[in-house]
Amino acid sequence: MLSFFKVNAVYQIFSLLILLVLIRVPVYLVGLPELIPELQWMLVGEQINKGFVMYSEIWDNTAPLSALVYAGLDGLFGRSQTVYQLAALSVASFQVIYFNVMINNRDIFAKRNYVPGLIYLLFLNISFDCCTLSPVLMATTFVLMSFGTMVRQISRLQATDEVFEIGFLIGMASLFYPPACIFILWAIASLVFFSGATLRQHSLSIFGFLFPLLLTALFFYLDGTYEAFSRNFISSVFQIRQYNLNDFKTLLATLLLPFGLGILGFLRLVNAFGFNNFQIRCQQVMMLWAIAGIVSIGLMPFLAPMQFLIFVPALAFFTINFFNTFKKQWLAELIFLGTFGAILLIHYQAVYATGSEGFVQLKNLKLGQKVDVKIQNKRVLVLGDGMEEYKNNYAATPYLNWNLAKYELENLDNYDNVISILRNFEKDSPEIIIDKVNLAPKLFKRIPALERRYKLVEKGVYKRV
């Protein structure tokens, strides 16, 4: 397979796209498991299309531009997992082509071929959850484009005002996926060490980064919802995460191969020779990319293979070096085929395996199947963790994200909170309240007007009278 993609011909672009589709067709045919974050993004899109304002009337920490994309998809196609998968396939196709064309056009490696795109598309399929349109997938597109601009800068003797574009693209990426903001440090360090950028140009790159962020903040300020924007989005980015140990086990099994190959490729560069100064600088820039990615882990909202897509450009870059340094090409081919098969095995088994048969199933990420068939097509409020009850229903009230909502709903001794809750119920009253944390009795005691509107129909379920 490596030898096939080492042929430098334009038709190989179509070969890459066909291979990407062929890898994903088997999981599309059997049907990908529905994911909790995926349903959450769909609900955000639905609520925005109903006229509710993000963060003030929709309490969720989805980034602004990601929410805008989900609203657009919902407005055109409704709640559809298939649309998310096809949109993700389009974004992945663009990244594969852009990555390969950029590397070839800039002569980042000694020979021009389509192996970079091959390895990139393989790493984009490390797990089935990477097949959906996640914020990190969209953000990686912009950070990857900023790397393309960075390469142009370090190929010149002196940097140009295009450094603004680098900062701007990273700023846009941050509005899709907040942990991407760490990459402005990558950009600054790369410009300092590997370009002839002046102080003015460094300031220009930082301004480019801040420009879309400040415009977004200004929008919410003029809309009168900046406080909600700050509380539900900005503050949530820096909250301390508590991760499940099973998440680490799943990640270790899923990421072992791509990270292992990336590290081996990097180690081979230590004693490698035959690279010109420009190629060495590109390698160092990618090393800084990997460091920035490691720092961004602390800002990830949850742990899942999809969150590590931000590492794919760096891992693919160093893995290319790993395979290029083999003197025995048959051995490189054999190792690649083994890697290809192992990654696809991990990808497919989580979809096809049932029960305890699979070893990487992302159970904490999948949407539960225990849904009450009596509650269908209702406007629902869920008090507690979990999104299963929204699967065949619609969200009511702003309290979509329980981690954000509980600070108001559980703090009923605060008079302002009580008034805010009552107003939210009056504006968007749920037909069904599903109480998982036994909060409703206390809520009704504090707000008798709500108690008169709902009756207990079964344990933990209240229906509007």
Side-chain angles (χ1 to χ4, degrees):
M1 186 175 288
L2 280 176
S3 57
F4 175 77
F5 284 98
K6 283 183 178 180
V7 177
N8 186 23
V10 177
Y11 70 82
Q12 294 288 30
I13 291 179
F14 300 101
S15 301
L16 289 172
L17 296 180
I18 292 171
L19 180 60
L20 178 60
V21 172
L22 289 176
I23 288 174
R24 296 197 175 184
V25 161
V27 293
Y28 289 164
L29 291 177
V30 74
L32 284 167
E34 293 180 284
L35 304 176
I36 293 173
E38 196 173 47
L39 177 59
Q40 186 173 347
W41 303 328
M42 293 178 184
L43 291 171
V44 166
E46 281 183 352
Q47 292 295 84
I48 292 175
N49 282 321
K50 290 176 183 176
F52 295 106
V53 179
M54 192 68 188
Y55 307 119
S56 60
E57 297 174 327
I58 307 170
W59 284 32
D60 191 72
N61 58 358
T62 302
L65 291 184
S66 291
L68 197 60
V69 170
Y70 298 140
L73 293 178
D74 179 80
L76 293 172
F77 306 102
R79 191 188 295 187
S80 172
Q81 186 187 35
T82 302
V83 170
Y84 274 55
Q85 293 165 5
L86 293 178
L89 180 62
S90 300
V91 175
S93 300
F94 172 81
Q95 289 185 19
V96 169
I97 295 172
Y98 182 87
F99 183 73
N100 208 127
V101 170
M102 174 196 60
I103 282 181
N104 283 347
N105 288 348
R106 294 293 167 183
D107 293 320
I108 295 178
F109 294 106
K111 296 181 180 180
R112 295 188 177 190
N113 54 48
Y114 288 83
V115 172
L118 174 64
I119 294 174
Y120 195 101
L121 75 84
L122 180 61
F123 287 173
L124 280 179
N125 292 281
I126 53 176
S127 176
F128 72 88
D129 62 314
C130 300
C131 296
T132 193
L133 189 64
S134 60
V136 63
L137 177 65
M138 294 185 281
T140 302
T141 304
F142 290 88
V143 185
L144 181 61
M145 292 169 65
S146 73
F147 174 70
T149 306
M150 179 69 72
V151 168
R152 291 201 302 270
Q153 297 303 304
I154 62 179
S155 66
R156 298 164 179 161
L157 294 176
Q158 189 170 2
T160 67
D161 288 349
E162 283 185 343
V163 294
F164 174 87
E165 183 180 328
I166 296 174
F168 180 79
L169 289 169
I170 297 174
M172 292 291 289
S174 302
L175 292 175
F176 279 99
Y177 178 66
C181 66
I182 296 297
F183 281 84
I184 189 59
L185 301 178
W186 159 79
I188 293 171
S190 298
L191 291 172
V192 167
F193 295 127
F194 311 118
S195 76
T198 63
L199 180 60
R200 171 183 168 278
Q201 287 165 337
H202 285 298
S203 302
L204 199 59
S205 65
I206 295 173
F207 175 73
F209 169 71
L210 294 175
F211 182 66
L213 303 180
L214 293 175
L215 278 183
T216 304
L218 180 62
F219 169 81
F220 286 102
Y221 176 79
L222 295 177
D223 191 55
T225 56
Y226 179 79
E227 182 180 352
F229 169 69
S230 176
R231 178 184 66 247
N232 292 331
F233 175 61
I234 299 177
S235 299
S236 66
V237 175
F238 302 101
Q239 288 177 353
I240 297 175
R241 272 69 178 179
Q242 294 181 345
Y243 300 121
N244 191 310
L245 183 61
N246 291 328
D247 297 333
F248 290 99
K249 294 177 181 178
T250 298
L251 282 174
L252 182 62
T254 307
L255 302 176
L256 182 62
L257 269 176
F259 272 83
L261 288 175
I263 292 171
L264 288 175
F266 172 76
L267 293 177
R268 286 203 169 191
L269 287 175
V270 175
N271 297 320
F273 57 90
F275 298 105
N276 58 40
N277 289 335
F278 166 70
Q279 292 169 341
I280 292 173
R281 289 198 296 269
C282 288
Q283 295 165 7
Q284 293 168 332
V285 166
M286 266 306 181
M287 181 186 66
L288 292 176
W289 178 304
I291 294 173
I294 293 172
V295 175
S296 73
I297 294 175
L299 298 181
M300 289 179 179
F302 57 90
L303 289 181
M306 71 165 78
Q307 300 289 74
F308 288 79
L309 288 177
I310 199 75
F311 284 90
V312 168
L315 294 177
F317 185 92
F318 291 119
T319 301
I320 296 165
N321 281 300
F322 174 75
F323 287 109
N324 283 345
T325 53
F326 273 92
K327 293 182 179 179
K328 299 178 180 179
Q329 288 305 306
W330 64 268
L331 182 58
E333 188 77 41
L334 190 62
I335 293 175
F336 178 79
L337 288 175
T339 302
F340 189 88
I343 288 179
L344 291 191
L345 174 64
I346 294 172
H347 184 106
Y348 292 145
Q349 62 80 36
V351 178
Y352 284 90
T354 57
S356 59
E357 296 175 10
F359 56 92
V360 182
Q361 290 200 11
L362 301 179
K363 293 181 180 179
N364 296 333
L365 205 62
K366 292 180 182 179
L367 200 63
Q369 299 300 318
K370 294 182 179 180
V371 180
D372 192 342
V373 294
K374 300 177 185 177
I375 305 175
Q376 301 283 339
N377 298 316
K378 302 290 186 181
R379 298 191 58 74
V380 173
L381 168 64
V382 179
L383 302 177
D385 291 317
M387 302 291 291
E388 291 83 2
E389 291 78 10
Y390 290 116
K391 182 177 180 180
N392 299 309
N393 296 290
Y394 305 97
T397 74
Y399 308 118
L400 178 60
N401 187 318
W402 175 246
N403 288 327
L404 298 175
K406 64 183 179 181
Y407 293 106
E408 181 166 287
L409 291 171
E410 291 183 345
N411 188 13
L412 297 175
D413 294 330
N414 187 306
Y415 179 75
D416 291 335
N417 288 353
V418 172
I419 295 298
S420 175
I421 294 168
L422 180 59
R423 287 176 178 171
N424 289 328
F425 268 79
E426 290 176 344
K427 187 171 184 179
D428 187 22
S429 181
E431 298 175 78
I432 302 290
I433 298 176
I434 300 174
D435 186 9
K436 297 181 176 181
V437 291
N438 197 30
L439 180 63
K442 184 178 179 180
L443 182 65
F444 292 154
K445 183 178 179 181
R446 290 292 184 185
I447 311 176
L450 293 182
E451 186 177 19
R452 293 191 291 268
R453 298 180 194 176
Y454 293 91
K455 65 176 180 179
L456 181 66
V457 293
E458 59 181 274
K459 184 178 179 181
V461 179
Y462 297 81
K463 186 176 181 179
R464 190 173 64 193
V465 179

